Amino acid sequence: MAEALLFDAVRTPRGKGRAADGALAVLRPVDLLAGLLGDLRDRAGLQTAQVDDVVMGCVTQTGEQGACIARAAALQAGWDLAAPGVTLNRFCGSGLEAVNHAAAMVASGYFELVVAGGVEAMSRVPMGSDGGAMLDARSVLSVGGVPQGISADLIATLEGFGRAEVDAYAVESQRRAAAAIGRGLHKNSLLPVKDEAGLVVLDHDEHPRPGTTLDSLAKLKPAFAAMGRDFGLDKLVRMRYPTVERVEHVHHAGNSSGIVDGAAAVVVGSAAAGARHGWRPRARIRSVALAGAEPIIMLTGPIPAAQKALAKAGMSAADIDLYEVNEAFAVVPLMFSRALGVPLDKINVDGGAIAYGHPLGATGAMLLGTALDSLEERGLGTALVTLCIGGGMGIATIIERV
């Protein structure tokens, strides 16, 4: 097979996902993605007529995010009409799924150049507003399913992670993010968002809270306790996990991923495509993997996905220099660290979604870009990117610097 090479990775800032005060809430999601695609074309000297596909992840594909936003954004960005587009949905793994799909097409030899990534404007298209079977009571009762916060609290209960530990992890995520921002880690990959007049709407991540402390988090009440009690969800959990006498609710807004708007794009191609454009590859994709998990506990998917990706690459967990494990909730990287024996000082070294936020369809591609930036800054070689996914799934990608 041909090598799938990574030539560039860019993203917008993450804006607060609130209509009232989020800077990006004034922009339609197609505007957000089109602006990024236009800037990427200009920055990279991208000959868009040679792009075999534009693959974008988007989770809530309804309203302003419906009707194949990948194609709509490419057209709005003024890309050549020959560049097609497709929008896919693997819940929170959509952005990384888009990159993996692109890599598979390039490695197979069918395509030579793909731009992949994702977009989510959570301030304008609220999570869950698309409905569907995963939110239908009959489906939930027949196959099992609870809100992800309940799943996170279940994992914390089973694994013995208390409130103090998940809060301490959240404080460290904020500290690492503040340090990364302070030294300009993202300066080459974060592209400012501009309006139609060319004025900057947002040029920095809005969500980080660098002043977060254990004392400030201690004031927050568990977000999912009432839901578990009043809607019978804790009872549903105990039916599947009878050894759990009581779900300990430890997660809240301060130790869970933030709701934000954002978009990301990654250039994936063959060596020949890079040579035609005069690009030097930044990394290659070593392996990709997907895994299913039990749908009530749900968030354990990164563990088998990472193990499969490592096996396919002929690597062990110790061979990976850095890990990006999406911080949907603090317990996810804590659980991952314990299960794979990876020290926390190799996981999310520059902060994660607790600090930056989690723009559902774009996050996976953003994490890949962060992994690239972090490897290059430190002179390291390999990274593994993984996300937990609704419905009980996991996705993982291993990259190696060229």
Side-chain angles (χ1 to χ4, degrees):
M1 292 196 305
E3 282 192 321
L5 301 172
L6 302 176
F7 292 101
D8 206 358
V10 296
R11 68 173 178 91
T12 69
R14 294 173 176 93
K16 293 178 183 177
R18 297 194 297 257
D21 61 351
L24 299 182
V26 298
L27 297 174
R28 298 177 304 163
V30 69
D31 300 328
L32 195 61
L33 182 56
L36 185 68
L37 291 178
D39 288 344
L40 173 64
R41 174 199 56 212
D42 298 341
R43 157 189 170 121
L46 176 62
Q47 301 171 40
T48 57
Q50 296 186 17
V51 174
D52 291 301
D53 207 358
V54 178
V55 185
M56 290 292 150
C58 184
V59 174
T60 310
Q61 294 185 34
T62 189
E64 292 182 332
Q65 290 182 169
C68 193
I69 195 170
R71 175 61 171 170
L75 290 173
Q76 183 171 315
W79 281 31
D80 195 281
L81 300 180
V86 64
T87 308
L88 55 80
N89 181 3
R90 198 183 289 279
F91 296 140
C92 296
S94 298
L96 192 59
E97 175 68 26
V99 176
N100 290 355
H101 176 87
M105 297 305 289
V106 170
S108 71
Y110 289 128
F111 291 172
E112 286 199 329
L113 182 60
V114 182
V115 174
V119 63
E120 205 81 29
M122 301 179 76
S123 63
R124 297 177 69 101
V125 188
M127 181 170 50
S129 58
D130 52 340
M134 294 299 293
L135 299 175
D136 181 80
R138 288 179 298 173
S139 296
V140 168
L141 291 173
S142 64
V143 304
V146 294
Q148 290 190 356
I150 301 287
S151 301
D153 288 340
L154 169 62
I155 293 170
T157 302
L158 290 169
E159 294 289 330
F161 292 114
R163 175 69 181 262
E165 289 166 285
V166 291
D167 279 1
Y169 182 89
V171 170
E172 179 63 7
S173 178
Q174 295 282 357
R175 187 198 68 77
R176 292 181 180 187
I181 293 168
R183 65 177 186 273
L185 175 71
H186 310 297
K187 65 180 182 295
N188 292 323
S189 55
L190 190 152
L191 304 183
V193 174
K194 300 176 183 177
D195 62 16
E196 293 181 355
L199 300 176
V200 174
V201 176
L202 186 66
D203 63 0
H204 64 280
D205 292 307
E206 277 192 306
H207 191 269
R209 299 179 296 275
T212 300
T213 65
L214 287 174
D215 288 340
S216 66
L217 293 186
K219 299 174 183 178
L220 301 177
K221 295 181 179 180
F224 306 99
M227 185 184 298
R229 179 186 66 245
D230 298 341
F231 292 95
L233 297 175
D234 284 359
K235 183 178 180 180
L236 179 61
V237 164
R238 292 197 301 272
M239 289 174 62
R240 184 66 61 90
Y241 295 90
T243 60
V244 176
E245 294 183 7
R246 182 167 69 98
V247 177
E248 298 292 337
H249 292 286
V250 298
H251 287 91
H252 49 75
N255 58 31
S256 307
S257 57
I259 294 174
V260 294
D261 302 335
V266 179
V267 180
V268 185
S270 65
R276 282 197 300 272
H277 282 82
W279 295 332
R280 182 176 180 178
R282 296 174 66 185
R284 63 171 62 88
I285 292 185
R286 286 282 301 268
S287 71
V288 305
L290 291 162
E294 193 277 309
I296 284 183
I297 205 165
M298 194 185 315
L299 308 176
T300 58
I303 295 169
Q307 291 169 333
K308 289 173 69 174
L310 288 166
K312 289 179 179 181
M315 303 173 77
S316 71
D319 294 328
I320 301 295
D321 294 317
L322 297 177
Y323 288 81
E324 287 291 325
V325 181
N326 189 38
E327 295 172 357
F329 301 90
V331 78
V332 176
L334 288 171
M335 168 189 60
F336 184 91
S337 171
R338 175 181 291 178
L340 270 72
V342 177
L344 287 173
D345 60 10
K346 293 176 69 172
I347 297 176
N348 302 343
V349 295
D350 293 307
I354 290 173
Y356 291 104
H358 176 19
L360 306 179
T363 301
M366 288 186 172
L367 294 184
L368 192 77
T370 298
L372 270 172
D373 290 341
S374 298
L375 287 175
E376 290 171 349
E377 182 188 57
R378 292 167 173 79
L380 298 175
T382 57
L384 186 151
V385 181
T386 185
L387 298 92
C388 54
I389 302 172
M393 294 184 283
I395 187 169
T397 303
I398 294 176
I399 64 172
E400 180 181 36
R401 285 182 61 208
V402 175

